[in-house]
Amino acid sequence: MNAQTFSALAEPNRLGIVDLLLQGPLPVGEIAKQLQLNQPQTSKHLRVLCDAGLVEVQPVANRRIYGLKPESFQELDRWLDSYRRLWEARLDRLDDYLKVSQGKKPLN
């Protein structure tokens, strides 16, 4: 995972675009309309998302249809998985500590 991915997703409008594209591919105009952005602004955000490898574009006649690039999100999920395991282990230890401190679990 690279910094460009996180930088792209850190901007609220771009994150909104990603959330919107979860429902399926859309043309620029529809993305702009649903997020109440102007089309040039939307196109700039989409370019950043494309450069980060998060979104791909399909030209259809004179329209450009944007959709999420699943491989990038799978890579992000794999990267996050190591942190998930770390936090799950810590939360399990906290849960055990709380149960012991409340007398609900005997000390090992």
Side-chain angles (χ1 to χ4, degrees), residues 15-35:
L15 190 56
I17 290 170
V18 169
D19 286 343
L20 187 59
L21 293 177
L22 281 171
Q23 300 168 17
L26 291 169
V28 179
E30 186 60 29
I31 295 168
K33 179 182 169 187
Q34 288 195 36
L35 295 178

Side-chain angles (χ1 to χ4, degrees), residues 12-99:
N13 288 317
R14 291 193 288 265
L15 190 56
I17 290 170
V18 169
D19 286 343
L20 187 59
L21 293 177
L22 281 171
Q23 300 168 17
L26 291 169
V28 179
E30 186 60 29
I31 295 168
K33 179 182 169 187
Q34 288 195 36
L35 295 178
Q36 298 178 347
L37 301 171
N38 63 46
Q39 192 159 340
Q41 183 182 19
T42 303
S43 293
K44 287 180 184 179
H45 287 308
L46 286 164
R47 190 171 318 116
V48 171
L49 290 168
C50 281
D51 290 346
L54 297 167
V55 169
E56 55 192 1
V57 60
Q58 291 286 331
V60 176
N62 64 343
R63 297 177 3 157
R64 299 174 68 73
I65 310 297
Y66 288 85
L68 296 180
K69 194 171 177 184
E71 305 83 29
S72 297
F73 290 93
Q74 291 166 347
E75 182 182 338
L76 179 59
D77 187 53
R78 284 190 299 275
W79 183 84
L80 287 170
D81 193 48
S82 60
Y83 292 93
R84 255 186 236 111
R85 288 192 303 269
L86 170 75
W87 281 107
E88 285 172 359
R90 288 183 179 186
L91 289 173
D92 287 345
R93 287 196 305 270
L94 176 61
D95 188 48
D96 289 344
Y97 169 78
L98 291 173
K99 286 178 182 174

